[in-house]
Amino acid sequence: MAEVSQAWLERVQRAQQLAAERLGVDVSSMLPPRDGSTGEAAEAAPPTEAAVPQPEPVAAVAEAAPEPKTQAEPEPTPEAEPVAVAEVTPAGEAPTEVAVAAVEAQAPTAVQSNGSAAAAERVAPVGRAAVLETFEEGREGINRREFLSYAWAGALTLLTLESGLATYQFMYPRFREGEFGGEFRLGAANLLPQVGIDPEGNATGKFWLVNTDKGPLALYMVCTHLGCLYKWEPSNNRFECPCHGSKFSREGYYIEGPAPRSLDHFLIKIVDGGSVVAETADAGESFSAPGVPGPDADIVVDTGKRLQGKPAALSPAKAVASRIELEFEDDVL
Ligand code: FES
């Protein structure tokens, strides 16, 4: 860059020399003293009209600069043409040192342009090397450190969202219709088994469907003692557990055995006209079956809502059984 600047300085000096010859003045009167003197000698002589730079030298500089070329002069770059001097200097004014400095300041731009052209000629990197070079040079307005920070922030945000979603699903599990834990649509009420016939087992929903004169009931298939699967015994018209002998009535009431309570229920909803019109209700010592308004009402069993059976001591079936046993013993005695 220093060589180019020196070349331009020489060219400007040459232009000043030509202008001085054309005007018939000494070029030294146009230059500041270089011997360290204060320039008093130049100031002693009154400035003549010829010594004062006139507007003509501007054109002279612009015209004379491109003409002479010597072997020793470096080839100027296209961006550093003498036209730049005329652009820097306002029309009608002589070139000043400020103008020369401006031209010198433009010279590195030409060098940089040549450097950019050379960089463009080299083979562009591809793949990971291209990405790294892009971030290292900051061409995309983001450096490598910022990219890693954003990547970490994105990963942490995604992890937080996934954890929140998993927690939500754990706290509020969602079951599809027709799978245990979800709803089972049994169809219209006229499809229910007749009152008084054997209960129907639903293995997928894990419930026994019992139809009574007050409405349908859904009994959880698991024994309330230790979790065995009890069975329906048609000969005795009751449920019996094969593990420890607990027995329950058709409606799920405790009769006898080690079970601590009556059978658990699932909530049954009666849907008519798109809305729930009745459902299984807690009646204190037992559960009341929902009434069916008509044969077209839909029966829905919600296996996600289990109603725990009432204590064995409250079972009306146990009281009936005890009374029958006492009456039998009295008759024998
Ligand atoms: Fe049913 Fe024990 S598990 S009686």
Side-chain angles (χ1 to χ4, degrees):
M1 182 177 69
E3 294 177 357
V4 175
S5 300
Q6 183 62 28
W8 273 104
L9 185 58
E10 291 176 357
R11 296 196 64 175
V12 172
Q13 291 175 350
R14 184 182 297 279
Q16 288 178 334
Q17 181 67 32
L18 292 173
E21 290 176 2
R22 183 168 296 183
L23 295 173
V25 298
D26 188 3
V27 70
S28 60
S29 63
M30 303 171 62
L31 299 174
R34 296 192 175 188
D35 55 355
S37 64
T38 57
E40 294 177 353
E43 294 178 0
T48 62
E49 185 177 356
V52 176
Q54 299 298 321
E56 288 77 6
V58 176
V61 170
E63 294 174 2
E67 290 176 0
K69 288 186 179 180
T70 61
Q71 294 295 334
E73 290 182 353
E75 189 67 23
T77 60
E79 292 80 2
E81 287 295 330
V83 178
V85 178
E87 293 175 355
V88 172
T89 305
E93 295 183 6
T96 61
E97 292 185 9
V98 175
V100 173
V103 173
E104 291 179 359
Q106 290 181 0
T109 304
V111 176
Q112 292 176 357
S113 299
N114 291 337
S116 300
E121 291 176 356
R122 67 185 179 85
V123 178
V126 296
R128 183 172 179 272
V131 175
L132 291 175
E133 182 177 283
T134 298
F135 287 121
E136 288 173 354
E137 294 180 357
R139 290 203 298 264
E140 297 297 331
I142 180 174
N143 56 33
R144 189 170 184 160
R145 183 186 299 274
E146 291 173 338
F147 172 76
L148 292 177
S149 299
Y150 292 146
W152 271 110
L156 288 176
T157 302
L158 187 62
L159 182 63
T160 303
L161 290 176
E162 289 183 349
S163 301
L165 181 61
T167 303
Y168 177 80
Q169 290 180 338
F170 176 76
M171 297 293 292
Y172 303 97
R174 293 288 182 271
F175 297 95
R176 290 176 297 182
E177 183 178 316
E179 69 178 17
F180 184 69
E183 291 185 343
F184 287 73
R185 295 185 179 275
L186 305 182
N190 57 7
L191 300 178
L192 287 172
Q194 295 296 318
V195 176
I197 67 171
D198 293 343
E200 291 182 356
N202 188 314
T204 305
K206 301 179 182 178
F207 62 85
W208 288 95
L209 181 64
V210 182
N211 196 10
T212 69
D213 55 355
K214 296 180 179 178
L217 295 173
L219 304 176
Y220 188 30
M221 280 185 168
V222 177
C223 179
T224 55
H225 180 220
L226 294 179
C228 287
L229 296 179
Y230 58 84
K231 304 294 183 184
W232 171 253
E233 285 294 336
S235 58
N236 296 327
N237 197 30
R238 63 187 181 189
F239 295 106
E240 296 181 0
C241 182
C243 294
H244 308 99
S246 293
K247 298 175 178 59
F248 307 91
S249 69
R250 170 189 293 271
E251 296 80 12
Y253 294 127
Y254 170 85
I255 296 176
E256 65 180 18
R261 65 180 190 269
S262 298
L263 296 177
D264 297 340
H265 291 242
F266 286 129
L267 183 74
I268 290 184
K269 294 184 286 188
I270 308 299
V271 180
D272 191 21
S275 59
V276 177
V277 296
E279 60 184 19
T280 307
D282 189 338
E285 296 182 354
S286 61
F287 293 101
S288 61
V292 179
D296 296 332
D298 292 326
I299 311 300
V300 179
V301 178
D302 189 351
T303 57
K305 294 182 179 178
R306 182 157 59 95
L307 308 174
Q308 192 175 68
K310 299 297 180 180
L314 301 177
S315 173
K318 178 185 178 184
V320 172
S322 298
R323 188 172 64 249
I324 293 175
E325 287 180 3
L326 290 174
E327 292 175 354
F328 177 75
E329 290 175 357
D330 292 341
D331 292 341
V332 171
L333 295 175

